[in-house]
Amino acid sequence: MNILVVGGAGYIGSVCAELLLNEGHQVAILDNLSEGHRAAVDRRAHFIQLDLANRDGLAQAVVRSCPDAIMHFAASALVGESMRDPSKYFRNNIANGLNLLDAMTAADVRQIVFSSSCATFGLPERTPIDESFPQRPINPYGESKLAFEKILRWYDQIHGLRFVSLRYFNAAGASGKFGEDHRWETHLIPNVLKVALGRQPHVEIFGTDYDTPDGTCIRDYIHILDLARAHILALGASASGSYNLGTGGGSSVRQVIDACCKVTGKEIPVIEKPRRCGDPPRLIATSEKIKRELGWQPQFQALDTIVTSAWKWHQQFPNGYGD
Ligand code: UFG
């Protein structure tokens, strides 16, 4: 297939583009490089540097690439920032996303795979979270993702745009080539590995008094290669749908730090801090629906496997992409 990967210079988009190319698909990557990196653009892909706010440029780019389907990763994705600057989230994730949908309908591109988030569920009453759970976001980031999911349903009904929304839980790990390098790093695993690399003196644990076995938050870490595989399967979906994407297992912050100590063989000093605003205590997915309907099977579920892949990448690229 001919796929346009929007946001393909970012963490998840770059690995999905790599997998698509490995499987013989033709790939164009569109990214404004505000969060993504030029060095994360696979050399085999055609690259278009463009901002989704540029409505006319985007319409032309979609016509020129003439894709069979679009994968849409481009978004602002920091929960904390969304609480300080909601306008940025609604503009980038909804308004600019609409520009993409309009360019698609004008160019008669009828298929999209959308990066949604477990943040659309807010504070779930229990876990694991399946697709029938109420979606009640507790921050503008989650709200923006939920709004776009709803917009996709209307575009399907009105314009016949087939969509698959994938609600990621905690993406982690690396492929051999591409890994996690955010200019402002807030995520747990890369922050812990920075300590192992000697680039930071300690890692902070945000909250040790949660109602969990060791008092720290539990998350469902999913290997980036398993996540990327789900996108490829989504291209073959015969109908629109929304799917939760995790492993069904959870690891606490302390368990992640322990796994990082074990994998790296380094000591990782920690400092206990108060809770981070807006962190749900426990987020675990059930992904039975995508297994049943699209045949997805995670291959790299063990936390040690995920951390090992991330550690290899961070050792190889200690300065990330260096930009
Ligand atoms: N944490 C620390 N120290 C750190 C970084 C994180 O203790 O230095 C803790 C957080 O408080 C949280 C857990 O580690 O309890 C995981 O935090 P991350 O920032 O790695 O991931 P989140 O679960 O906050 O974020 C993920 C996705 C978001 C998504 C969110 C939904 O990355 O895109 O889940 O809640 F919106």
Side-chain angles (χ1 to χ4, degrees):
M1 289 174 81
N2 178 6
I3 311 293
L4 178 62
V5 181
V6 176
Y11 171 42
I12 302 172
S14 62
V15 176
C16 284
E18 181 189 1
L19 207 64
L20 285 166
L21 287 157
N22 289 350
E23 303 207 345
H25 298 286
Q26 193 180 324
V27 172
I29 289 175
L30 188 149
D31 201 298
N32 67 1
L33 300 183
S34 64
E35 300 292 337
H37 310 270
R38 187 64 182 86
V41 174
D42 198 299
R43 285 172 200 273
R44 297 167 290 176
H46 172 62
F47 180 57
I48 307 156
Q49 185 170 352
L50 190 81
D51 195 299
L52 295 188
N54 180 347
R55 209 174 146 85
D56 294 339
L58 185 58
Q60 284 167 21
V62 172
V63 167
R64 271 197 221 110
S65 344
C66 194
D68 300 306
I70 285 183
M71 289 188 181
H72 177 31
F73 300 93
S76 298
L78 296 176
V79 169
E81 184 187 52
S82 82
M83 293 294 283
R84 294 188 295 276
D85 187 1
S87 166
K88 176 175 174 182
Y89 282 72
F90 295 134
R91 198 173 306 280
N92 284 348
N93 299 357
I94 304 176
N96 291 348
L98 267 179
N99 291 344
L100 180 64
L101 295 186
D102 290 343
M104 288 178 73
T105 44
D108 207 24
V109 181
R110 295 292 179 89
Q111 204 184 343
I112 185 166
V113 182
F114 170 59
S115 301
S116 189
S117 171
C118 60
T120 59
F121 289 107
L123 286 171
E125 278 157 22
R126 56 196 160 79
T127 56
I129 302 166
D130 69 31
E131 289 77 2
S132 70
F133 273 51
Q135 287 178 290
R136 289 192 285 248
I138 55 165
N139 49 60
Y141 168 65
E143 192 72 68
S144 71
K145 290 286 177 180
L146 178 58
F148 204 74
E149 282 195 14
K150 289 183 180 169
I151 289 168
L152 285 175
R153 284 183 215 131
W154 287 110
Y155 271 63
D156 182 8
Q157 192 172 314
I158 295 163
H159 295 300
L161 178 69
R162 193 160 80 242
F163 70 84
V164 171
S165 292
L166 297 175
R167 300 176 189 136
Y168 312 152
F169 281 62
N170 286 59
S175 74
K177 245 162 132 175
F178 301 121
E180 189 167 11
D181 176 19
H182 297 110
R183 294 199 172 83
W184 175 250
E185 192 54 79
T186 61
H187 293 98
L188 180 62
I189 293 178
N191 275 344
V192 179
L193 294 179
K194 274 188 191 166
V195 181
L197 280 172
R199 297 177 63 82
Q200 269 176 16
H202 59 258
V203 66
E204 296 178 336
I205 299 183
F206 299 131
T208 52
D209 59 349
Y210 285 98
D211 183 17
T212 58
D214 68 17
T216 66
C217 286
I218 292 177
R219 294 289 180 273
D220 184 343
Y221 295 90
I222 169 170
H223 198 297
I224 189 85
L225 289 175
D226 284 331
L227 204 60
R229 172 64 50 205
H231 290 74
I232 308 246
L233 293 170
L235 290 175
S238 53
S240 292
S242 304
Y243 300 95
N244 294 356
L245 213 49
T247 63
S251 304
S252 71
V253 173
R254 287 198 200 279
Q255 285 173 321
V256 169
I257 296 171
D258 287 348
C260 291
C261 286
K262 188 172 127 199
V263 165
T264 64
K266 310 273 183 190
E267 254 189 67
I268 297 177
V270 303
I271 293 188
E272 295 182 4
K273 303 286 275 192
R275 293 181 177 196
R276 191 172 70 175
C277 180
D279 273 341
R282 196 186 293 257
L283 288 173
I284 298 174
T286 168
S287 299
E288 291 311 310
K289 185 180 173 199
I290 191 166
K291 287 181 185 167
R292 201 173 54 242
E293 293 188 5
L294 302 185
W296 180 70
Q297 267 311 329
Q299 288 179 47
F300 310 105
Q301 277 174 286
L303 183 60
D304 283 1
T305 310
I306 294 174
V307 170
T308 300
S309 72
W311 177 233
K312 273 191 194 148
W313 192 82
H314 284 281
Q315 281 179 296
Q316 202 182 341
F317 302 96
N319 299 313
Y321 292 107
D323 57 358

